[in-house]
Amino acid sequence: MRIAVLGASGKVGRLLVDQALERGHEVVALARTPDRVTVPTSREVDVRRADVFSPRDFPDLDDVDVAVSAIGISKGDRPGALVAGAGLLAAARVRTVWLGALGSGASKGAGGLIYSAVMRMFVGAELAEKAEADQVALDAGATVFHAPDLTDGPVGPGRRVVPLAELRRPLLPPRISRASVAALMLDEAQTGDHGGGIVVPLS
């Protein structure tokens, strides 16, 4: 399978690239700054410059089977990056797995009271944009991952996804490793089991 990774230079994006290669997939790494994409010396990756604010220069994705997006809002970014990225993938008409955030949009309050308070405190200004981008992705048939707080660490052996409608609201703020989220997103890229829906990654 040929997989495009949008946001390939970020923390989750790098894991997606590495794990996809380990699974034997071909990888197209999309990044605003291609020089920041790290690739194992023994591997070949098609690295393409992809600035979501430059739609005319956004690379063609006709040669990929699925796109997995791990773009986020970096410090100093102007508003609109997430919505622009979701719109470009939708316009490309490529099957997409999109990384969103638990506690935004449709999953508001689903992480529990403590988690919701933390989200409002630290992500509050970005919640509306996250929700808008999620909807653009969903309308195009993407699988949207509403990930809880992300941590370092290995892939969890008990990793799984739960449809948002079936999630039990936790008492304590949920957490999951970035490596586990990357693995679950690649699982979804391979199967396409939850297209057009929101799932929550758990471990």
Side-chain angles (χ1 to χ4, degrees):
M1 180 176 283
R2 191 165 173 83
I3 300 176
V5 177
L6 181 60
S9 63
K11 291 181 178 180
V12 176
R14 291 173 185 171
L15 291 167
L16 284 165
V17 170
D18 290 346
Q19 291 186 22
L21 290 170
E22 289 172 2
R23 295 186 186 202
H25 298 300
E26 296 179 12
V27 174
V28 177
L30 307 174
R32 180 169 50 187
T33 309
D35 290 344
R36 294 180 59 190
V37 176
T38 56
V39 179
T41 55
S42 61
R43 304 284 190 167
E44 288 188 14
V45 172
D46 182 355
V47 181
R48 302 177 186 175
R49 183 177 184 277
D51 185 343
V52 298
F53 288 120
S54 298
R56 292 184 180 180
D57 300 322
F58 197 79
D60 190 352
L61 299 179
D62 288 346
D63 61 336
V64 304
D65 300 300
V66 60
V68 182
S69 174
I71 63 169
I73 302 175
S74 300
K75 187 176 181 179
D77 281 352
R78 68 181 191 265
L82 296 180
V83 176
L88 287 169
L89 293 182
R93 299 185 182 276
V94 59
R95 186 166 63 86
T96 297
V97 181
W98 179 265
L99 180 59
L102 185 66
S104 65
S107 68
K108 181 180 179 181
L113 295 176
I114 299 173
Y115 182 85
S116 295
V118 171
M119 285 291 286
R120 287 194 301 271
M121 184 180 301
F122 293 102
V123 193
E126 302 169 5
L127 289 176
E129 181 176 346
K130 288 179 181 293
E132 184 179 353
D134 287 351
Q135 194 58 56
V136 172
L138 286 167
D139 288 345
T143 304
V144 174
F145 274 62
H146 272 201
D149 187 32
L150 298 178
T151 66
D152 294 328
V155 175
R159 70 184 187 277
R160 66 197 189 282
V161 295
V162 175
L164 178 59
E166 299 175 16
L167 180 69
R168 290 186 176 184
R169 184 178 297 183
L171 177 61
L172 297 177
R175 308 179 82 190
I176 188 171
S177 71
R178 293 178 181 86
S180 293
V181 170
L184 288 165
M185 293 182 77
L186 289 173
D187 290 344
E188 177 64 20
Q190 292 172 190
T191 64
D193 287 341
H194 302 281
I198 298 175
V199 297
V200 179
L202 301 172
S203 61

